Structure formats: C-alpha cells, structure tokens
Amino acid sequence: MLTKAHLAHNVVDFVNDWCWTYDPREIGKDKSPFMPFDLFPKQVEFLWWLQECVENGDEWLVEKCRDAGASYLTVAFCVHRWLFHDAFKATFGSRVEDAVDKAGDPDSIFEKARIILKRLPLWMLPPGFDERRHSLYMRLINPANGSVISGQGGKNMGRGGRSSIYIVDEGAHIDQAEKVEAAIIGNADCRGWVSSVNGMGNLFYRKRQNDSVKVFTFRLEDDPRKTPEWIARKKASTDPVTWAQEYELDYGASAEGVCIPGPWVQAAVKLGKLLGDRLERWTSPTAPGVAGMDVGGGGKGKTVLVIRKGPVVRVPKSWNTPDNITTTHAALDETRQAGAGVMNYDPIGVGNTVTSTLKHANTDGLKVYPINVGDSPSDAEWPDGRKAKEMFANLKAELWWTVRCAFQRSYELLLFLEGQEGGCDHPLEDIIVLPDSKELTGQLPVPKWLKNEKGRIGIESKLSLARRGIPSPDFAEALVLTYAPEPIEDFVMPSITPVFGGRGAGLLS
C-alpha cells in the first residue's frame, strides 16, 4: 500500500487509489452510484497540468465536453492540497450559491468534496477533524494544517479574502463575468475557469482566445468510455445544436438570434486559405479598397482600423490609447500604405476628435467620410424589391445585414466547394474572406438582431451588450463601416452628417 508520505507528493495516485465519485445513472444497473476513480490518460494529464498551473501561479481555462469529470477532478485536486499542504486555500465560485454548496445535492461542489472525504480511511483524515465542526456551509477546514476550501456564489464571487487558487465553475454561463473577473484578480494569482462552451458572446470565449491564458481541452474522443457505438446512439437522440455545443465544443453552435452565426464566420476564414491565388486581384497593393475605423477612447476602448479590398479583409490594426489625434494620423497612414482610397469612421462621441483632427490633416489622395450609423438607412433597393428604409431601423442595421449576407454567401460557397448539401457557387466578388484574427472572429458572432415595433430589423445596442457583460465589438464595427455606401458628395469639413446616395452597400471589386 502506498504510504501517506508518497501520496502527499503524488496527486494522481491519491485520486486513483483513494477518491470516489458519484453517478446516479448507475442505479438500476445492479451497481452502486458511488464508485472509485479510474482515471483515463487525459484525466491524469490534467491533474499534472493543474498542479503545474498552481505552482507557477498561472491563469488557466478548461473547456470540456459533457461528462468529462473536470469539475470532480478540480475538487479532488483541491482536497489533496487541503490534506497535504499547509495553509493552502482553494475557493470555488459559481453562478449561484446552490451550485457551490447545497446539502445532500451531489451535483454541488462541496458535496463532491464530502463524498471524497467520507470515503477516506481514518488514518488519512487530518488529526482532530470533526465533520460537525470542520465541514461547514461553503467551508472545509483542516484543523491540523490550517488549509481551507471555501465557496462563493453569484455577485459575491471574489469579494474579499485571498486564495492559493480560485476556480470559477461553469464560467461560460455566468452573468456579468467581467465583474467577477475584476473581483477575483485580487483574490488569487492562480485563477481557473472551468466550463462547457456557451457561444462566443462571453468572457470565457474571449479568455479562450487569449494567448496568456493556459488552456486544457477535454474532448469527447479523450474519454475511452465513449465508444463509437455510444457516440452514434447519443448523437441520434440529441438535437444538433446541443450536440455541437455540449459534446463537440463548438462555440458557434449556440447562435440563436445572432446576426452573423459563428459557422459563417469560420467559413470566411477557411475560404481565405482555400481560395489562395484566386483572390490575387484583391490582395495586390494596387487593388482598390476601403478602410473602416471604429474610434475608441483608450483603456478597454481600442481604436480599430479594418481594411477591405473587395471580398478580402486584411489583418486589423488597433491602438489602445486615448490620444485620438495621433491615432487618426496613424490610421490615415495605414490606409494609404494599403492602397485603399476611402476611409470611413464613426464621428459620434469620441469620434468628434477625429473630425477635428481631419480639419488640419493631410488627406490628399483619400476620401474620408464620417458615417453616423444612427442615421436613416440608405435609398438602396434590395433584391426582393424592398427599399432599405422599409427593412431596417437605421443605417447600422442595414450595414450589419449587408455584412451578414456576405458571410452567408461565403458559408454557402464553402459548402459548394466541399460538395456538401446547401452549397452555392457564388461569385467571389459577393463573398467575404477573413484573416485568422481572434478579435475579429470572436466579435462578429456576438450582436443579436431583432425587429422593432414597426417590423424593421435592428441590431443589438452597445448598452444591451454591456448588460450581457460584453464589451463593445470594436473590431466588428470597424469591418461593418467598410460596407457603408459612399455619399453623393465628397466629405467637406466641418459637416459630420453625410447625405447618402443610392449606391447601396455593394462590395468594392
């Protein structure tokens, strides 16, 4: 038998030999719902990975398919540290307190810990440990070494105290996750987010795209219990969206109501690699193009410049500074160097600084237009014969819908090239091709569309996004500005409200 001294330095042997889990699905199969861990290789890898994160003070994230055991493993890991490491403190947080600790509910985090503790031999428990005094509501105390496992829920997560490790359970499903993050940054250096995926419009997805956050992935194929026969049966009885999201870790699957679905965005990225030389006429320095600039005010608000040549979108440029005078000149230089002849920008709010700067800037060779997306739609006529003014609540909705249609054509073209059902051979002039930009691809599938009381299409406001804990989609907004119809008259200072003609929002080709 392994000694206590050995177990103190080997979390894998501790979990494999002494920890128990609970699965009520075994009831009725002549089996007990309580069963010892039998770690499969990916779970072993995860425990060593998590130990390294704790020792290095890393921020980390676990994206998991359903039934991977990730939550139970984090609990077992923390119980191990609680037993064998002096003054260790782990804190678990979740969207509601009941998910952290609810007496008798084995789905709650602390009941998982109690299931493990109750099945340890007495010689392994801390000297003096009394369940009545040391296993409390959202608090497990080790009286021998001062270690603690604590819990928090809802809006109180991260407030006060310090921890060796802070773990946010189901982090992709938490409202106002930005506030949670701000709170837990001061609570622990080692912070972890464990969750199934929940679309692209949340902090969890943005962290997944952040290269400074360590990522561990539990895929369906990592679990040896999930045989091809099991997968076929489960997939046949599960709706496609749920299957893609819960089992295939498809962030674009939960796209209900979004203006530009995630799969369409990924298709535009894939087309850029697939079409290659067929896009050459738009990738040359002399090809005409248009730039869109979304103006930020420093801090979290970036100024972003996106340049599009026909269907081809270049890698965005961004500046994180409140000095919009210098940024305006930098954007003009970038636009010229790219060979684009038009630059559109949003003049509202902090965009006024750009308008003032342009009065004195050298714009020779460029057409620069302020585009107020709150204005009325253009006079363009859509293929079904309706005027844009009949279809859209404002210019913003018209532009987003124009971009949406380009992405839909890209998706259909990709299906056609891959020989899949639903494909269509669209002209390249009518599609959109994206670079592999995490910021751009992460923001485009976020804003939702809706209809107002007059039945006209509108796009989710920045205020509504903020209520969902989502920052302004500055990269996406900059791209959308490249689709603005060119005014009849050239830009003349100091006017900032152009009069739109009937060109619509056609692609430059």
Side-chain angles (χ1 to χ4, degrees), residues 37 309 423 509:
F37 265 99
K309 294 191 169 189
S509 58

Side-chain angles (χ1 to χ4, degrees), residues 18 25 66 78 105 190 234 260 297 306 385 416 448 476 478 496:
W18 295 105
R25 292 171 296 186
R66 183 177 289 184
C78 289
D105 183 356
C190 181
K234 194 71 175 180
I260 304 174
V306 172
F416 172 82
K448 298 180 179 181
I496 63 171

Side-chain angles (χ1 to χ4, degrees), residues 333-408:
D333 290 342
E334 289 285 349
T335 302
R336 284 195 193 91
Q337 291 172 16
V342 177
M343 188 177 86
N344 299 325
Y345 73 97
D346 185 350
I348 304 304
V350 292
N352 280 324
T353 305
V354 177
T355 301
S356 301
T357 303
L358 288 171
K359 291 180 181 180
H360 310 286
N362 176 14
T363 59
D364 291 347
L366 285 180
K367 294 180 179 180
V368 184
Y369 300 118
I371 307 295
N372 184 350
V373 296
D375 281 348
S376 298
S378 76
D379 292 325
E381 184 174 298
W382 281 65
D384 62 3
R386 288 183 296 169
K387 295 285 189 180
K389 286 182 170 63
E390 301 172 37
M391 295 175 60
F392 304 107
N394 51 27
L395 180 62
K396 176 180 179 178
E398 179 186 359
L399 298 185
W400 270 89
W401 209 256
T402 301
V403 177
R404 169 190 164 95
C405 291
F407 274 105
Q408 182 176 4

Side-chain angles (χ1 to χ4, degrees), residues 252-312:
S254 56
E256 183 178 358
V258 302
C259 182
I260 304 174
W264 297 5
V265 174
Q266 296 306 316
V269 175
K270 191 172 182 179
L271 276 179
K273 302 171 183 177
L274 188 64
L275 294 175
D277 293 342
R278 293 179 62 185
L279 301 171
E280 187 174 356
R281 61 178 289 203
W282 296 290
T283 57
S284 70
T286 58
V290 59
M293 181 168 68
D294 186 73
V295 186
K300 292 186 177 180
K302 293 182 179 180
T303 294
V304 180
L305 184 77
V306 172
I307 296 172
R308 178 177 59 84
K309 294 191 169 189
V312 179

